[in-house]
């Protein structure tokens, strides 16, 4: 009696996708996660033979949009641009988070990683990272703007304060745009921001970039040092990937992973990655990304707890 059902299910998977695929972004338009999602959608759609439509669902530290995907049908038509906020920090930051970041999702592929960059406004006395460290040590405080409580850049700032033994005063904003605007105008003296978000501002001279939280220099910015080489052993990366609801059929998982891997080798896509991040997409697979998310949750948890972060 089950044979017709099994055959129908298998045929539905083999015909996937038969209509547009929704890619939920749990942040507002314009941020790094949104930019990466639109790049993925543009590259993946032609290979799937159906449009991939970006659907921005911001709110509650990326948990609102993520929960939409966690509760969606596992048919491949609703995917998520998962990231270090939604699936790295939020599982610890939000005590009543409505989803389990591992159990309620099928993690398909890591798409990109990006370091944070420390920038200061043009009136700041520090012109190098070493001068910045000396300045905040003398003041016994680091004041910096962040795009939101619990963001990867926020945690990078906290880790910097811990590394140089200086108290941190983070000034939270509702997004990187207003945080950067106040940094440029001097309302706050400094900001930790993702590299793709900050690059346009320091390229045009609106702020000064002092150092990255990457393990090594980014080829696109060869004159921008890492904090590690400046004597502060701090590596902190934001990350972005593709996930779906739990129970997503393996045939669909493998199709998305395979087509996305192929799309990410296109010269035009690689060029966009170079312009945005300065580094190519990482190698990944469903197994790799699943392990990666679990490791990130484990790594972020003690930092979030030790910092006493509370959602706003």
């Amino acid at each position: 009696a089950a044979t017709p059902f099994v055959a129908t299910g298998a045929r539905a998977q083999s015909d996937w996708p038969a209509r547009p695929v929704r890619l939920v972004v749990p942040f507002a338009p314009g941020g790094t996660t949104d930019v990466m999602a639109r790049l993925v959608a543009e590259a993946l759609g032609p290979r799937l033979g159906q449009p991939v439509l970006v659907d921005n669902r911001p709110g509650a530290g990326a948990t609102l949009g993520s929960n939409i995907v966690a509760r969606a049908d596992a048919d491949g038509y609703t995917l998520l641009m998962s990231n270090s906020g939604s699936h790295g920090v939020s599982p610890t930051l939000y005590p009543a988070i409505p989803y389990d970041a591992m159990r309620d999702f099928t993690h398909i592929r890591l798409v990109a990683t990006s370091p944070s960059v420390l920038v200061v406004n043009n009136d700041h006395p520090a012109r190098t990272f070493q001068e910045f460290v000396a300045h905040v040590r003398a003041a016994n405080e680091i004041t910096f703007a962040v795009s939101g409580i619990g963001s990867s850049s926020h945690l990078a700032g906290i880790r910097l304060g811990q590394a140089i033994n200086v108290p941190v005063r983070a000034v939270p904003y509702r997004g990187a745009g207003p945080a950067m605007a106040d940094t440029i105008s001097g309302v706050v003296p400094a900001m930790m921001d993702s590299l793709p978000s900050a690059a346009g501002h320091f390229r045009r001279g609106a702020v000064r970039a002092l150092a990255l939280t990457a393990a090594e220099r980014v080829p696109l910015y060869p004159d921008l040092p890492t904090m590690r080489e400046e004597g502060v052993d701090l590596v902190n990366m934001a990350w972005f990937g593709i996930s779906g609801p739990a129970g997503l059929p393996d045939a669909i998982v493998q199709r998305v992973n395979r087509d996305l891997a192929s799309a990410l080798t296109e010269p035009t896509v690689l060029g966009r990655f170079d312009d945005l991040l300065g580094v190519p997409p990482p190698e990944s697979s469903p197994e790799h990304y699943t392990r990666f998310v679990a490791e990130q949750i484990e790594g972020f948890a003690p930092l979030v707890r030790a910092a006493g972060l509370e959602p706003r």
Side-chain angles (χ1 to χ4, degrees), residues 43-305:
L44 184 58
R47 281 175 164 73
L48 294 180
Q50 291 287 344
V52 177
L53 306 178
V54 173
D55 182 9
N56 295 90
R57 296 298 186 97
T63 64
L64 190 154
S66 300
N67 193 49
I68 290 173
V69 178
R71 303 295 173 243
D73 292 337
D75 56 10
Y77 289 101
T78 304
L79 301 176
L80 174 73
M81 198 73 191
S82 48
N83 57 83
S84 45
S86 66
H87 283 70
V89 176
S90 289
T92 303
L93 179 62
Y94 289 85
I97 191 169
Y99 58 81
D100 184 291
M102 298 302 298
R103 185 185 63 239
D104 294 333
F105 294 88
T106 302
H107 298 300
I108 301 172
R109 187 177 184 89
L110 178 66
V111 173
T113 60
S114 173
S116 296
V117 58
L118 172 66
V119 302
V120 297
N121 66 58
N122 288 328
D123 293 327
H124 198 285
R127 295 191 169 272
T128 67
F129 180 70
Q130 293 294 345
E131 289 177 356
F132 178 84
V133 171
H135 176 79
V136 297
R137 279 178 171 162
N140 195 39
E141 182 180 77
I142 303 175
T143 300
F144 64 95
V146 295
S147 59
I149 295 293
S151 65
S152 179
S153 294
H154 183 189
L155 295 183
I158 291 173
R159 293 179 66 187
L160 173 59
Q162 292 174 339
I164 63 176
N165 196 30
V166 174
V168 169
R169 184 169 75 90
V171 182
Y173 288 80
R174 291 186 177 274
M180 181 60 75
D182 273 8
T183 303
I184 292 171
S185 66
V187 174
V188 286
M191 180 179 179
M192 277 286 194
D193 197 7
S194 69
L195 180 57
S197 177
H201 301 287
F202 67 72
R203 276 175 166 174
R204 64 183 175 87
V207 290
R208 291 198 298 272
L210 301 184
L212 292 168
T213 62
E216 55 188 29
R217 292 198 185 202
V218 172
L220 189 62
Y221 306 104
D223 297 329
L224 187 56
T226 68
M227 293 183 186
R228 174 175 281 180
E229 68 183 274
E230 291 291 311
V232 176
D233 191 13
L234 171 58
V235 175
N236 191 91
M237 305 293 284
W239 45 268
F240 316 90
I242 298 295
S243 303
L248 201 60
D250 187 63
I252 293 176
V253 172
Q254 297 303 327
R255 171 79 185 277
V256 173
N257 178 62
R258 182 178 65 251
D259 286 357
L260 189 53
S262 175
L264 293 177
T265 64
E266 288 186 2
T268 54
V269 177
L270 288 174
R272 293 282 303 281
F273 264 80
D274 191 44
D275 289 341
L276 288 168
L277 305 174
V279 293
E283 291 293 327
S284 189
S285 67
E287 295 76 19
H288 165 261
Y289 191 36
T290 301
R291 291 194 304 270
F292 180 88
V293 173
E295 291 166 358
Q296 291 292 303
I297 295 170
E298 184 178 358
F300 276 125
L303 179 61
V304 172
R305 294 190 185 106

